[in-house]
Amino acid sequence: LLHAAQAQKEITHNEALVLVDALLRGTVKAMLDDPAPLTPAAGQAWIVGAAPVGAWAGQAAKIAVFTEGGWRFATAPAGLQ
């Protein structure tokens, strides 16, 4: 990770590294529709169910990764298991 004032884009760079790390690890906690019961740590990931609500509304079938900046969503590539 880049430290503050080390580069102009340290925040977006660090967020991208956290997202890449979570996706390459290939582990998710579960498939859920509602993130309300979660107390996530940065880097943890879930598969968003078919009828998401709350913070995940409109993100069906995506991978939800919690980062220090909040929820990030990624579309799973075809064939991902």
Side-chain angles (χ1 to χ4, degrees), residues 15-29:
E15 285 289 316
L17 289 178
V18 170
L19 183 59
V20 166
D21 182 50
L23 294 174
L24 289 177
R25 213 172 329 129
T27 58
V28 295
K29 297 291 185 182

Side-chain angles (χ1 to χ4, degrees), residues 6-80:
Q6 185 177 357
Q8 293 287 352
K9 302 290 184 182
E10 70 270 0
I11 294 172
T12 54
H13 175 81
N14 290 348
E15 285 289 316
L17 289 178
V18 170
L19 183 59
V20 166
D21 182 50
L23 294 174
L24 289 177
R25 213 172 329 129
T27 58
V28 295
K29 297 291 185 182
M31 179 182 278
L32 297 173
D33 287 327
D34 185 3
L38 301 176
T39 53
Q44 290 182 324
W46 287 264
I47 298 172
V48 180
V53 296
W56 292 357
Q59 303 294 337
K62 292 188 178 178
I63 299 171
V65 178
F66 191 76
T67 69
E68 291 180 11
W71 291 107
R72 302 291 182 258
F73 299 93
T75 302
L80 186 68

